[in-house]
Amino acid sequence: MNIVLLGKPGAGKGYVSKYLQEKYGFTHISTGDLCRKNIKEKTEVGLLLEDYCQKGLLAPIDLILKMLKEEVLSHKNENIIFDGFPRTIEQAKELESITDVNLVLFVDVADATILERISKRRVCPKCNKMFSIDDAKDEKCTNCGANLIVRADDNLDVAKNRLLIYEKETKPLVDYYKAKIVVVDNSGSVDNTHKILDNIASKFLK
Ligand code: AMP
């Protein structure tokens, strides 16, 4: 069972993935995380990706596919959640040649909430756990104790740009996947989102 997560940047795809990973044993593959890892490790691909990621622009498909294919191969026969891929119809078609997509979850939140969440978002540079400054006032990771940082692409101008790119490039995927899509309203409380995800799991997971 493979799931594709769709939704605007900052809608909470990482959070939804984490819940499904921890509670239902999915493997989480995030192309954004793969980009950041390669950039941090200054790999050949990482050096090519850096400028795109900092500006919030879509990176060239061949660079993303190279990382994605390696990751999928190393998780053969596992149930995967794809987070941040596909972001275009072209990428969706590529994914079909790599593996099946059984379900698409559209994580839905209003733009105003997204911009507020992005401005408060912090991430652990060691273990990638995400926080809101509201829940991590001392700016330390509750998982591993590292000092939290602001993602380079989490400033408001870049966030607005990423939303524009989403509208143009990624939104058409909602129609492309219309036969497989289920909406996850992530504008309410954490408990509410968990309930929605548990309902979806009871319906679609065997
Ligand atoms: P994310 O964490 O998913 O918001 O991704 C962070 C950045 O990584 C994006 O702004 C892009 O620069 C790059 N990126 C991640 N996934 C993709 C993708 N599927 N296609 C192109 N660029 C991507």
Side-chain angles (χ1 to χ4, degrees):
M1 169 92 183
N2 294 323
I3 297 180
V4 159
L5 278 187
L6 286 185
K8 295 178 180 177
K13 298 189 292 298
Y15 181 76
V16 165
S17 306
K18 194 106 199 123
Y19 185 72
L20 296 175
Q21 185 182 13
E22 284 170 1
K23 184 150 183 190
Y24 298 102
F26 278 87
T27 296
H28 176 217
I29 297 184
S30 153
T31 44
D33 285 350
L34 291 174
C35 291
R36 284 181 286 277
K37 180 169 179 279
N38 277 275
I39 291 170
K40 195 169 154 194
E41 292 171 0
K42 297 192 190 308
T43 65
E44 205 177 312
V45 176
L47 293 173
L48 296 168
L49 286 167
E50 193 161 11
D51 199 41
Y52 295 98
C53 288
Q54 268 184 9
K55 293 182 178 149
L57 300 173
L58 292 190
I61 187 166
D62 52 326
L63 297 182
I64 300 288
L65 274 177
K66 186 175 183 301
M67 297 184 302
L68 184 81
K69 282 181 180 167
E70 280 170 12
E71 197 68 12
V72 171
L73 263 183
S74 69
H75 293 286
K76 258 190 179 166
N77 303 325
E78 295 177 20
N79 295 324
I80 296 176
I81 298 177
F82 292 95
D83 169 8
F85 191 95
R87 266 173 150 97
T88 62
I89 305 258
E90 184 191 12
Q91 292 186 0
K93 290 184 176 156
E94 288 287 350
L95 185 58
E96 278 154 28
S97 69
I98 300 172
T99 191
D100 291 336
V101 172
N102 308 103
L103 179 66
V104 178
L105 298 182
F106 176 70
V107 185
D108 195 19
V109 172
D111 279 11
T113 313
I114 285 179
L115 292 174
E116 194 197 333
R117 282 185 189 169
I118 284 180
S119 67
K120 289 184 173 177
R121 184 154 70 180
R122 300 291 182 273
V123 63
C124 173
K126 269 198 180 160
C127 68
N128 283 331
K129 192 170 159 75
M130 301 264 210
F131 294 86
S132 162
I133 40 171
D134 294 343
D135 308 322
K137 292 238 159 54
D138 61 354
E139 307 252 337
K140 295 248 186 256
C141 176
T142 54
N143 207 22
C144 67
N147 290 324
L148 302 179
I149 57 166
V150 178
R151 260 172 59 168
D153 55 354
D154 268 353
N155 71 61
L156 274 189
D157 285 339
V158 176
K160 282 181 187 159
N161 199 26
R162 287 162 70 207
L163 284 171
L164 287 177
I165 292 174
Y166 168 86
E167 288 295 325
K168 186 164 171 266
E169 305 283 353
T170 311
K171 203 174 166 190
L173 286 173
V174 173
D175 191 50
Y176 183 83
Y177 282 130
K178 60 177 179 281
K180 295 181 180 172
I181 211 160
V182 175
V183 176
V184 176
D185 178 358
N186 191 30
S187 56
S189 66
V190 166
D191 282 350
N192 193 52
T193 302
H194 289 173
K195 260 188 214 145
I196 295 171
L197 293 172
D198 290 336
N199 278 338
I200 292 171
S202 67
K203 213 165 154 191
F204 292 95
L205 304 186
K206 283 168 197 124

